[in-house]
């Protein structure tokens, strides 16, 4: 069974970036930060990063790198 994403990843890296990754306005990000002196407990930090603050690069091996902006906590 095919999905709506299967054909996206048959495209070139440039097309995947332009037609799929840059298609959203913001990406939700969750960071799990270990609580100090609380074994097994974490604080969840949630962010929405605008796509225009992200950098998309294609490596020599044709791998897409996504570089996020620095986040101050």
């Amino acid at each position: 069974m095919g999905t709506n994403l299967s054909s996206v990843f048959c495209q070139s890296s440039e097309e995947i970036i332009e037609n799929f990754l840059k298609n959203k306005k913001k990406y939700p990000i969750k960071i799990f930060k270990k609580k100090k002196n609380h074994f097994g407990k974490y604080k969840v930090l949630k962010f929405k990063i605008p796509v225009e603050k992200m950098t998309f690069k294609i490596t020599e091996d044709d791998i897409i790198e996504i570089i996020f902006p620095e986040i101050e906590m």
Side-chain angles (χ1 to χ4, degrees):
M1 175 185 283
T3 70
N4 59 341
L5 294 179
S6 61
S7 64
V8 169
F9 296 105
C10 293
Q11 299 176 5
S12 70
S13 296
E14 292 88 1
E15 290 172 318
I16 292 171
I17 291 170
E18 290 302 318
N19 299 329
F20 182 71
L21 295 173
K22 288 185 175 181
N23 203 16
K24 293 188 102 178
K25 292 183 189 267
K26 295 180 181 180
Y27 278 95
I29 304 293
K30 283 185 186 179
I31 298 174
F32 294 85
K33 183 178 178 182
K34 189 174 170 182
K35 288 186 175 183
K36 194 173 187 176
N37 299 323
H38 290 88
F39 181 75
K41 300 217 176 187
Y42 297 87
K43 178 180 181 181
V44 179
L45 306 169
K46 296 180 183 181
F47 303 93
K48 287 192 178 178
I49 300 177
V51 76
E52 67 265 5
K53 294 199 178 216
M54 299 165 64
T55 304
F56 299 93
K57 289 186 178 181
I58 301 168
T59 67
E60 291 177 5
D61 299 324
D62 203 34
I63 296 171
I64 298 171
E65 287 184 0
I66 303 171
I67 303 165
F68 296 99
E70 187 173 326
I71 298 171
E72 293 190 31
M73 296 191 268

